[in-house]
Every structure is written in C-alpha cells, then in structure tokens.
Amino acid sequence: MQKINIGVVGTGFIGPAHIEALRRLPNTNVLALCEVTPELARQKADQLGIERSCTFEELLAMDDIKVVHICTPNFLHFSQSKAALLAGKHVVCEKPLAKDLHEAKELVELAAQTGLVNAVHFNLRYYPLVRQMKVMREQDTLGDVYSVMGSYLQDWLFYDTDYNWRLEPDKSGDSRAIADIGSHLMDSLEYITGLKTVAVMADFNTVHKVRKKPLKPVETYSGKMLQPEDYADVPINTEDHANVLLRFDNGNRGVITVSQVSAGRKNQMKLEIAGSKKTFAWNSEAPNEMWIGNRDGANESFMRDPSLVHPEARSVISFPGGHNEGFPDTSKQLFKEVYDAIAAGKQPENPTYPTFADGYRELLICEKILESNRKQAWVEI
C-alpha cells in the first residue's frame, strides 16, 4: 500500500488531534509539520515525532506532500486553504472554513475548479450513533420531524480569568460560541434530520463583558497564583451564551442553546429529535448509547454495536459492542472516508464526508444568527 504524505499546519489543541487520528489509518504518513516560526516548528515536530519541520511556504513547495491539514486559528483558514489548493494539494480544513461568506464562496468555487479533495472537520457527525440516527430517519423509523432541541455546553470560559485567542474577533470572527461549537451542533442536526434551517431568531448574552488577559503565556504560571498586576482588562464583544429559535423547511420548529460558561459541562452536545413515529435522544458525553422514545410501548436504549446498527453506520465503527469509542475516533472515521477519496485522486460526486460546501452552509447559518441577534428579529436564510 502506497502511503499518502501529509503536512499539518498548526499545533494547538486540534493539530495534534488530527495527527493522532491520521496515524491510526494504514495509508497515511504525517511527514511535515508547519508552525509560525521555524524554531517552534522544529520543537513541535520533535515532540510529535514528525520528520520534517517547515514554514508554510516551504510546505507548499514540497512536491511529495499531497495533503495539507489546516489546524490554525480561524483568520488563517481562508488564505492557507486557498494557497494549498493553488499549490495542487488536497485540503482538510478546520471549521470555520473562513471568516465570512465571501471568502468561503471563493474556496468552494476554487476547490470545484481544481477537482481536489476538500473537507471540513465537522467530526462530530462521525459518532456512530449520529450516523445511525441519520440512517434510521432515512428509512422512516423516525417519521416526519416534528421538533428539534439541541444544546452544546462547555465551561472552559467560565471564569473571567479564562482567556484564549477565540475571544479576540480579529482572530476568530464576530461570533464565538455559535461559530465555535454551535456550528457543530447545527451541522449535526441538519445532517441527521435532512432538514434545512430557513429562518432563525437569536438572543446572545456576554456574561463576562470584561475578561482578564494574562500578560505572559499561561504556561509560565503553571501551578502558581496570578496576581492582579499579571492581567490586563479586555472588553469582550462576542457571546458566552446564545439561544436560537429555528424554523425548518418542513414547516416545523427547533431550538438550540450554546454556552461556554456552564460549570461542569466540559464538552457536551445533546440532541433530541421528535418525529411522528419516535423520538431520538443522544448525548456526546455518553456517545455509545441513544434513547428511543415510543408513545405506545416501552422506550428503548440502543447501544453502539456493529452487529446491531445499519451497514452505513457500521462503516464508522472499529470495535465490537461494549468496547467504547469516543471523540478521537470521530476524526479517524472522517479521515478514513476523506483518504479513500484522496487515494482515488479527486473529490467524489457525492461525498460522504463534510466538504467546503458544508463549511459554507454553516457560515451562512452563523451569519444569519448574528444578524438576528443584532436586529432582535427573525431572519430568513
């Protein structure tokens, strides 16, 4: 088997997650690592056991690198994805695809012109039971979708001393909680239900209107108490919490809540989809079990098991029932489908994985949600 050489750009939280998932596939070889300076790239490459370290320009010039994974802060996604496509590389980009719709549209069009494989890392749709719910809906087990309730809750920005580049609009964009984790939630809901969101009504809240930014890297203070003089007050204009009412193209309704200030919720995405035949409920912090609600019989608990799921869901399961799979496995399963396409040399006509077009779709929804919050009114999509 010929291995496909890969360059990864960025080594925050998600870059190493990509690398770990890629190393679990038989036909991939993470050959190069790119960072903002050659020194940092070498340091990170040594830590992660990667042969080459480089700048972004050096990476694009490497003829033997066939795929580039963009794992940098949001404001770099457009320029780096565009440059990689123009250099003839297949691209896997973190979400959001770009900072605005104009940039995203340009990437969708450029990717189509090149025919290169393009994917966005909406990995949460690769939990096996998320795909099982999708297939069950397609086979009419759920019935017509009556309503949708979803939430995505975290606590990593709970304190006013919690700080990260995502709090700075010039690096992350004008939305934070909705763009960061709400995009995963909306992608998963539309993926499972097959519905399109046609209108939104949003209400945002910034709980910490001023946050305390450390004046030195937080790692410097590991295990130590920060003093008041170690912080600078920074006004915050992006949302800590958001509620959004949804209208779907089948005439029915939904609601989502997204928060990054919910104590104790580390990374919980919850879905409840009520249909004319059954209700499905699922929680990402207990991803190997889904609840099936019935009106005229006992409710059911469906455990992730390749011998019980539909074949389309079985394809994203690697272990027998009772051997739990979780967050790291979602990236592996997404990349497995992406690299099947890369091995074939081009973007398939109907990709099973999320593409740049899906990235554009989520940016469109996010921008309409932002507009709705500004206007405090319903906005059509």
Side-chain angles (χ1 to χ4, degrees), residues 101-118:
L101 283 174
H102 174 76
E103 290 182 347
K105 184 180 182 206
E106 184 177 341
L107 287 178
V108 171
E109 291 172 348
L110 178 60
Q113 291 165 11
T114 64
L116 293 162
V117 172
N118 57 93

Side-chain angles (χ1 to χ4, degrees), residues 46-336:
D46 288 343
Q47 288 175 358
L48 295 164
I50 296 172
E51 179 181 329
R52 297 180 193 169
S53 62
C54 56
T55 64
F56 186 66
E57 291 70 23
E58 290 169 341
L59 178 65
L60 296 185
M62 296 177 185
D63 292 337
D64 56 347
I65 296 291
K66 302 303 180 187
V67 192
V68 173
H69 282 239
I70 308 295
C71 302
T72 49
N74 300 356
F75 74 100
L76 294 169
H77 292 179
F78 167 71
S79 61
Q80 291 181 337
S81 294
K82 180 178 178 179
L85 288 171
L86 291 172
K89 316 291 189 188
H90 306 288
V91 178
V92 178
C93 184
E94 264 303 319
K95 53 81 201 163
L97 178 61
K99 279 185 69 179
D100 60 50
L101 283 174
H102 174 76
E103 290 182 347
K105 184 180 182 206
E106 184 177 341
L107 287 178
V108 171
E109 291 172 348
L110 178 60
Q113 291 165 11
T114 64
L116 293 162
V117 172
N118 57 93
V120 175
H121 191 236
F122 284 122
N123 59 306
L124 299 193
R125 62 161 83 170
Y126 278 80
Y127 281 108
L129 293 183
V130 169
R131 182 165 290 192
Q132 175 70 8
M133 286 188 282
K134 175 184 189 292
V135 177
M136 290 175 73
R137 186 268 306 165
E138 291 172 339
Q139 298 191 358
D140 203 32
T141 304
L142 176 67
D144 296 331
V145 176
Y146 283 171
S147 68
V148 169
M149 293 185 291
S151 63
Y152 203 138
L153 308 178
Q154 297 177 327
D155 72 356
W156 69 289
L157 293 173
F158 181 70
Y159 296 116
D160 66 354
T161 51
D162 292 326
Y163 202 87
N164 179 274
W165 62 264
R166 293 184 184 278
L167 292 155
E168 299 173 2
D170 63 325
K171 296 184 179 66
S172 66
D174 293 332
S175 171
R176 176 172 26 100
I178 284 289
D180 184 17
I181 53 180
S183 59
H184 273 298
L185 178 57
M186 291 300 301
D187 177 74
S188 297
L189 287 174
E190 290 197 340
Y191 176 72
I192 294 166
T193 64
L195 300 177
K196 293 294 184 185
T197 308
V198 296
V200 294
M201 174 66 171
D203 190 27
F204 289 3
N205 187 29
T206 304
V207 173
H208 297 303
K209 294 176 174 56
V210 175
R211 285 182 180 267
K212 297 185 179 300
K213 180 179 180 178
L215 295 173
K216 295 181 180 179
V218 173
E219 291 80 7
T220 303
Y221 299 98
S222 180
K224 298 179 182 178
M225 292 295 292
L226 292 173
Q227 302 302 314
E229 62 269 19
D230 296 322
Y231 292 108
D233 286 347
V234 176
I236 300 298
N237 300 310
T238 53
E239 74 280 5
D240 291 316
H241 178 276
N243 297 316
V244 188
L245 297 175
L246 310 170
R247 291 177 180 166
F248 298 113
D249 57 356
N250 73 344
N252 289 328
R253 306 292 196 264
V255 60
I256 62 169
T257 295
V258 177
S259 174
Q260 294 178 320
V261 290
S262 294
R265 296 301 187 194
K266 303 305 177 187
N267 191 52
Q268 183 198 69
M269 185 171 81
K270 290 181 72 174
L271 312 172
E272 183 152 330
I273 303 166
S276 59
K277 296 181 179 179
K278 296 180 183 291
T279 296
F280 297 160
W282 178 84
N283 168 12
S284 70
E285 290 188 341
N288 292 279
E289 178 180 2
M290 67 177 279
W291 180 86
I292 302 174
N294 297 298
R295 164 65 187 264
D296 298 318
N299 296 330
E300 305 165 66
S301 181
F302 188 107
M303 302 300 293
R304 181 209 57 84
D305 186 327
S307 69
L308 300 176
V309 301
H310 291 296
E312 297 90 336
R314 192 176 304 135
S315 69
V316 295
I317 297 177
S318 295
F319 296 96
H323 298 75
N324 288 339
E325 292 173 278
F327 180 84
D329 300 282
T330 61
S331 296
K332 182 189 79 169
Q333 300 295 351
L334 190 162
F335 297 156
K336 182 172 69 175

Side-chain angles (χ1 to χ4, degrees), residues 8-52:
V8 175
V9 189
T11 59
F13 159 68
I14 206 65
H18 279 236
I19 292 164
E20 189 273 339
L22 288 165
R23 284 173 166 165
R24 297 168 65 195
L25 299 177
N27 61 336
T28 62
N29 177 37
V30 182
L31 183 60
L33 187 68
C34 167
E35 256 298 348
V36 67
T37 66
E39 295 76 20
L40 183 59
R42 186 67 263 162
Q43 175 191 339
K44 294 291 186 178
D46 288 343
Q47 288 175 358
L48 295 164
I50 296 172
E51 179 181 329
R52 297 180 193 169

